[in-house]
Amino acid sequence: PGGAFWSVTVHSTEDAPEDLVDTVVATMRAMYDDLDSEDTEEEILGREVIGSDLNFYCLDLTNSAEVRVFESKRGNFVILCQADDREFDEVRRVFQAMTFSLLQESSWLKLP
């Protein structure tokens, strides 16, 4: 409990968003044998965002994670958030607010 996190990494625009999602899912699958994943697409603040919803067991707890990728002229942004299921619903809104805040900063992101 209390180990929830939200992270963002910026990758080259040459890295395909789909490949970035696949890499995160493959990395998580290598760590957690029982990983379930479901591809997703959504629109956040008018931007198309692709990703995957992940579920797995760690230390006898069920966990959820979300990976989301969006493109900008500055680079391709990978957002990964994770928490055990007891706290995920509680922190989901915080994760969403952080993502919205990042996407709203179009002046420094140089969004198309």
Side-chain angles (χ1 to χ4, degrees), residues 27-36 55-58 82:
T27 300
M28 295 286 287
R29 194 172 304 286
M31 294 189 313
Y32 306 105
D33 295 331
D34 58 353
L35 182 86
D36 290 325
N55 300 99
F56 57 95
Y57 291 97
C58 180
Q82 178 179 319

Side-chain angles (χ1 to χ4, degrees), residues 21 25 29 35-41 51-55 65 67-68:
V21 172
V25 172
R29 194 172 304 286
L35 182 86
D36 290 325
S37 65
E38 183 177 335
D39 292 340
T40 185
E41 294 181 21
S52 189
D53 295 335
L54 311 171
N55 300 99
V67 57
R68 299 293 187 265

